[in-house]
Amino acid sequence: MRSVTATMFMTLDGVVQGLGRPDEDTRGGFTHGGWGARYNEVMSREMAAGMGRPGDMLFGRTTWEDFITAWGGSTDGNPFTTHMNAATKYVVSRTLEDADAWQNSHLLRGEATDTVAALKTEPGHDLSIIGSASLVRSLHAAGLIDDYVLLIHPLTLGCGARLFDDPAPLTEFDLVSSVPTTTGVIIAHYRRAVTS
């Protein structure tokens, strides 16, 4: 069975909204967009490490559309751009008409928990999610997230969408590894605990 790993960039108070730039995600009147910019070196290192492992990507519609702007069709020579464009990408959506806007993308139409549960049983590479907090929340509640890689940034925002805003079942995880960085970001890898 394919595993699902969610990589989330978050503040100490759990905010996952608007990491990259001021206009990235202003829903709910969020005005702190771009809070992660000064930590880009850490983000780049983590993303580079992920490129070394074979795998497919899983997106919610909003993040997929945002990533198209950043990487879709770009030929800037950046290894991450090359990796993103070459990767098999699955986008989960109830409203998207097709996934033709970005090469190697496949639409998973319908309810996220149903379509991802089915995808996990198919042969293929493991799946990784970067961002897509709404999708992660849904999959977590359904017990479909196997691993979390949390990049915990040393600041609080006091507002914004948090990783676990919605009710979720009691779930235990084991700490696989943790790496403190020179910028104060802690990279923590958690794996769903095996319970008897």
Side-chain angles (χ1 to χ4, degrees), residues 10 18 31 36 51 53 58-59 63 99 102 107 118 123 154 158 163 165 173 177-178 182 192:
M10 61 193 300
T31 59
M51 290 187 321
R53 297 184 295 269
L58 186 58
F59 291 96
T63 302
W102 194 5
L107 178 61
L163 179 56
D165 268 346
F173 289 85
S177 65
S178 64
T182 57
R192 181 180 293 274

Side-chain angles (χ1 to χ4, degrees), residues 10-11 36 42 46 135 140 142 144 160 162 175-176 183 187 190:
M10 61 193 300
T11 64
V42 172
E46 179 58 28
L135 174 62
H140 177 81
L144 296 172
R162 288 171 169 76
L175 180 64
V176 175
T183 60
I187 303 172
Y190 291 95

Side-chain angles (χ1 to χ4, degrees), residues 99-116:
D100 298 340
W102 194 5
Q103 66 195 50
N104 302 319
S105 292
H106 306 276
L107 178 61
L108 299 178
R109 188 182 309 277
E111 293 300 318
T113 54
D114 297 334
T115 58
V116 173

Side-chain angles (χ1 to χ4, degrees), residues 113 133-143 148 162-171:
T113 54
S134 295
L135 174 62
V136 169
R137 283 187 212 104
S138 296
L139 299 182
H140 177 81
Y148 281 98
R162 288 171 169 76
L163 179 56
F164 297 114
D165 268 346
D166 301 325
L170 172 64
T171 309

